[in-house]
Amino acid sequence: MNIRYVTGGSGLVCAAWGGWLLLQQPEPWRIAVWLGGAVVVHDGLVAPVVMAIAALVAVVGLRLHGVPRAALIVAGSLTAIALPPLLRPGGVANPTVLPLDYLRNWLLAMAAIALFTLAYVGVPVVARRARRMGRESRRA
C-alpha cells in the first residue's frame, strides 16, 4: 500500500477523532474560535515575520545553514510553546498556576540562543580573519 494513503488515512482518522472530542465539550464554539485565532495569528503574524526575516537575510547575503537555521527553529518553537503564559490575561486566581516570570525567562532563553549561535558562527570567522591578518603582517 502506498505510504501516502496510509498517512492520509491516519490524518483523516485523527481529524475525525478530534472533531468528535470537540463536539463532546460543553462549549465547542470557544475551542473553534481559539483554533481559528491560531490560524489567523499564524497566517497574519508568524508567517509574514518569518518571510521578512528570510528576505532580510537574503538581501544581506547571509546563508543560513546548519546552526543558524537550527537556532531559528528552536527560537520559534520555544516562542510557540511560551505564548500561552506570555499572553495570559492579568493575574490568575491561583498564584501557583503560573508562578514564574515567564517573560523574563523567555527573553533569557532567546538571548542564550542568540549568544550561542553568534559564538558558534562568529568565533571561526574572527579566527580566520586573525590568521589572515597575521599572514599579511608577516609578508610586509
Side-chain angles (χ1 to χ4, degrees):
M1 185 177 248
N2 194 341
I3 189 72
R4 286 187 284 178
Y5 293 124
V6 172
T7 304
S10 63
L12 289 174
V13 168
C14 289
W17 183 43
W20 181 75
L21 290 175
L22 176 66
L23 293 176
Q24 301 301 315
Q25 298 300 315
E27 296 178 345
W29 62 270
R30 295 182 77 189
I31 297 171
V33 167
W34 185 87
L35 289 173
V39 170
V40 169
V41 167
H42 176 271
D43 292 351
L45 180 68
V46 175
V49 167
V50 169
M51 294 300 290
I53 291 171
L56 180 64
V57 166
V59 167
V60 172
L62 293 175
R63 294 178 54 194
L64 288 180
H65 296 288
V67 173
R69 183 179 290 176
L72 288 173
I73 291 170
V74 169
S77 300
L78 185 61
T79 300
I81 292 169
L83 275 179
L86 289 174
L87 299 177
R88 73 173 185 258
V92 291
N94 182 353
T96 62
V97 172
L98 297 172
L100 303 175
D101 185 355
Y102 289 96
L103 178 60
R104 184 201 65 196
N105 293 342
W106 176 78
L107 289 171
L108 287 172
M110 292 297 117
I113 292 169
L115 287 174
F116 283 122
T117 304
L118 287 173
Y120 186 87
V121 172
V123 168
V125 170
V126 171
R128 259 186 266 126
R129 285 186 182 169
R131 279 191 299 248
R132 190 178 315 134
M133 295 296 283
R135 280 186 248 138
E136 290 175 4
S137 66
R138 279 185 251 144
R139 288 183 197 163

